[in-house]
Amino acid sequence: MSRENVLSLLLERPTEYLSGEAMSRALGISRAGVWKAIEALRQEGYEISSAPNRGYRLESAPDRVREGELAGPLAGCLVGGSLACLDTIDSTNTECKRRAMAGTPEGLVVIAEEQTGGRGRLGRSFQSPRGCGLYLSALLRPRLEPAAVTDFTAWVAVAVCDGIEAACGVRPRIKWTNDIVLNGKKLCGILTELGLESESNALEYLVPGIGINVNHRPEDFSEDVRPMATSLAQELGRPVRRSLLAAEVIKALDRMYAVFPQGKQEYLDKYRADCLTPGNQVQLITPASRQEARALAIDDDFRLVVELADGTRKALSAGEVSVRGMYGYV
Ligand code: BTN
């Protein structure tokens, strides 16, 4: 842990030298402990220069998402107030749910460099190659009825767009219900899961999981996914620092959760502005059928209003149906 704290201090003052003594005082550890932490960070690829009588300065840092990089930017946040940055895990959602069932309080964010069993909606898998993406899940415990959180994923989608815009300067769009797209291709998927108390059916925990394609090259996607998937690096033409993106996405989630559900109008307005499904001809896909329809609007409950070929209109809820563009993924 002192390694994360030393890193956090170095990151707080990126242009300054920090003496070993000042760090040892600030962290309540010995100077030998500071030195050991510096050596361990160097072993992990952090370039830290040292100058006699001045101390240490961080010159460059590898692209790794870790507590020491996030603790400073997330100070004061409820979501991200505690962090578990893991190397490899089956699924950050599954890990968050395990910790929820063990009694961990809300606010924990689990992040992994790699998922071996990343999960998507409708039982699909989510490809999560090492070091390319941002795979994160948050543990929340809103004091609400389960029915009050049915639109939560739509709120998360808006927060993810906010976070990506803050970190990268581009605002992606939303394909109803909760795929984040950039230039017509899928950039991010969201899977929200919840746990109910078995006897009372009260909401015990809510776990939104977010998978963003960050530095993937086309060959990092499997052949079947490649035609409709993209990454921030592919679209921006430059790599994106994942810890910076993680900090902005978590801060946006924290801002959103602070106003959930009473701040609905703001998030509904943003969702409507971001969602590019209305106006398109779409296929409505259920396990049993495919039907053509025209997407018209997002209603006040984040449902997609569609008009069927016979002129009838209906409002679709997330989970009821999945929507695909007629002429491409969007
Ligand atoms: C989808 O597009 O169907 C949703 C994909 C959600 C993927 C994220 S990655 C982090 C979290 N852990 C998982 O196993 N899934 C979500």
Side-chain angles (χ1 to χ4, degrees), residues 42-298:
R42 283 175 172 154
Q43 291 293 321
E44 291 179 31
Y46 289 81
E47 202 189 320
I48 300 167
S49 59
S50 50
N53 300 324
R54 297 179 74 189
Y56 302 101
R57 187 171 72 182
L58 183 62
E59 305 293 345
S60 74
D63 180 32
R64 251 199 95 110
V65 185
R66 53 192 297 165
E67 281 96 334
E69 299 235 1
L70 297 178
L74 297 179
C77 289
L78 168 64
V79 182
S82 70
L83 295 162
C85 297
L86 310 173
D87 184 58
T88 180
I89 194 78
D90 48 358
S91 148
T92 54
N93 264 37
T94 309
E95 178 63 15
C96 237
K97 293 199 297 182
R98 283 191 285 258
R99 293 187 187 214
M101 287 184 279
T104 302
E106 74 169 348
L108 171 74
V109 169
V110 176
I111 304 179
E113 286 292 309
E114 162 190 60
Q115 297 185 117
T116 52
R119 295 184 290 106
R121 288 176 59 240
L122 308 169
R124 290 193 277 253
S125 64
F126 184 80
Q127 294 173 14
S128 317
R130 165 172 292 276
C132 297
L134 180 61
Y135 318 119
L136 73 83
S137 305
L139 166 54
L140 307 174
R141 297 186 187 273
R143 288 194 193 89
L144 295 168
E145 294 293 313
V149 300
T150 49
D151 59 8
F152 188 69
T153 309
W155 293 59
V156 174
V158 171
V160 170
C161 290
D162 286 346
I164 291 175
E165 186 176 22
C168 305
V170 290
R171 188 164 187 93
R173 308 295 296 276
I174 300 169
K175 177 175 98 67
W176 190 88
T177 160
N178 56 14
D179 281 353
I180 309 291
V181 300
L182 192 54
N183 300 332
K185 291 187 166 186
K186 179 161 170 171
L187 182 68
C188 162
I190 303 168
L191 172 69
T192 302
E193 298 180 286
L194 52 77
L196 302 180
E197 207 174 75
S198 56
E199 278 173 19
S200 63
N201 261 348
L203 182 61
E204 219 171 330
Y205 60 82
L206 187 62
V207 172
I210 299 162
I212 306 179
N213 303 328
V214 185
N215 289 323
H216 297 56
R217 300 157 302 170
E219 58 269 32
D220 292 317
F221 297 110
S222 66
E223 268 176 34
D224 53 329
V225 167
R226 201 174 299 156
M228 54 190 174
T230 193
S231 68
L232 283 165
Q234 280 179 58
E235 298 305 318
L236 299 174
R238 61 173 170 88
V240 168
R241 205 169 158 72
R242 289 174 308 137
S243 53
L244 184 119
L245 178 65
E248 293 301 339
V249 168
I250 297 167
K251 282 196 287 180
L253 282 175
D254 185 63
R255 281 194 299 272
M256 178 275 280
Y257 188 54
V259 299
F260 181 81
Q262 73 279 6
K264 181 174 177 182
Q265 197 56 52
E266 179 195 346
Y267 280 82
L268 187 58
D269 290 346
K270 283 173 122 177
Y271 189 91
R272 285 183 172 135
D274 288 335
C275 186
L276 33 72
T277 305
N280 282 322
Q281 203 65 20
V282 293
Q283 280 181 72
L284 310 180
I285 306 168
T286 67
S289 69
R290 267 170 196 257
Q291 198 176 15
E292 202 177 314
R294 181 151 192 83
L296 299 177
I298 302 297

